Amino acid sequence: MKITCISGSPIAGGNNEKMVDMVLKIAQERGFETDRILLSNLKVEPCTDCGACKKSRDCPIDDDMKGIYKKLESSDAFIVSSPVFFGSLSAQLKALFDRTILLRRNGFLLKGKIGAAIAIGGSRNGGQEFTIQTIHSWMHIHGMVVVGDAGHFGGIAVKPFESDKEGSKTVMDTANMLCNTLSRLNG
Ligand SMILES: Cc1cc2nc3c(=O)[nH]c(=O)nc-3n(C[C@H](O)[C@H](O)[C@H](O)COP(=O)(O)O)c2cc1C
């Protein structure tokens, strides 16, 4: 069973990538295969609504989505992490989300996979909950099974992540909830 973490931050080694490292460590310790998609080092252009993916499984935009589609399809579960930008998710992550309409139009290829969300902002109440709910919307529209942190919505943190003990707990709880659900659904 493979768990893939997606970081929507443009900053390599930043707060989101630290959260992703924490999640992946938990998943690995619990025996899951893991992978990561870090948008700090990938180029993903926005969807242009050209309609090509209604006719075939190919997107005419030549960028890193080709590899990302393969990683998404081969994963059983996702934790998606975003910085809060003006109260919502990053533009980098939104571009990735919109491009996944190809997978929905060509057989709902993410249906039944498990998803969870984590978000970090510069302020304690800077829009993390709304950001998480926006990520959850993407998951629901793909027919995924969405989980939180076994109490609330998911991982909610404030930067710097390494100093946010309360936020770290919600990120760890979200990782464990995802692992528990994946184990339970797959016997
Ligand atoms: C354009 C922009 C908008 C931002 N808007 C918010 C915001 O609305 N709320 C908030 O709490 N933090 C906001 N921040 C701060 C980021 O969420 C914060 O720096 C985040 O932890 C960055 O994560 P990273 O280090 O992984 O990139 C904003 C930062 C930028 C650059």
Side-chain angles (χ1 to χ4, degrees):
M1 296 279 105
K2 186 164 86 172
I3 296 175
T4 294
C5 279
I6 304 172
S7 165
S9 170
I11 299 183
N15 294 277
N16 280 272
E17 294 189 9
K18 287 183 183 130
M19 297 201 296
V20 163
D21 287 346
M22 177 179 272
V23 167
L24 291 181
K25 188 163 174 284
I26 291 170
Q28 285 158 8
E29 282 169 1
R30 294 191 55 170
F32 292 98
E33 190 187 337
T34 60
D35 203 351
R36 66 187 81 205
I37 297 169
L38 305 178
L39 293 180
S40 61
N41 63 16
L42 297 168
K43 189 168 156 48
V44 178
E45 297 290 337
C47 177
T48 60
D49 197 8
C50 69
C53 64
K54 287 181 187 164
K55 298 174 197 125
S56 81
R57 265 193 62 173
D58 287 322
C59 176
I61 302 174
D62 185 17
D63 62 9
D64 289 320
M65 271 313 286
K66 290 191 190 342
I68 294 173
Y69 289 133
K70 288 192 187 125
K71 286 194 182 207
L72 294 175
E73 273 193 81
S74 66
S75 300
D76 302 289
F78 305 103
I79 290 196
V80 179
S81 177
S82 184
V84 183
F85 281 180
F86 280 96
S88 190
L89 79 181
S90 69
Q92 289 81 357
L93 188 57
K94 185 65 164 68
L96 183 154
F97 282 178
D98 289 348
R99 296 281 297 286
T100 63
I101 195 157
L102 175 148
L103 299 174
R104 191 175 187 276
R105 282 178 173 161
N106 288 275
F108 270 87
L109 299 174
L110 301 183
K111 193 175 195 168
K113 297 180 190 276
I114 302 164
I118 56 182
I120 186 159
S123 302
R124 171 61 69 195
N125 55 345
Q128 287 88 333
E129 283 194 11
F130 182 77
T131 301
I132 283 174
Q133 285 169 356
T134 306
I135 296 169
H136 287 174
S137 294
W138 171 72
M139 292 170 172
H140 283 304
I141 290 167
H142 275 293
M144 291 187 209
V145 177
V146 177
V147 301
D149 64 339
H152 292 100
F153 304 103
I156 291 187
V158 63
K159 79 171 183 184
F161 178 61
E162 52 270 34
S163 309
D164 183 11
K165 298 294 166 235
E166 198 180 342
S168 296
K169 183 173 182 317
T170 66
V171 171
M172 288 189 276
D173 287 347
T174 304
N176 278 310
M177 183 69 179
L178 189 88
C179 293
N180 293 345
T181 308
L182 194 50
S183 299
R184 192 171 289 184
L185 290 181
N186 291 282

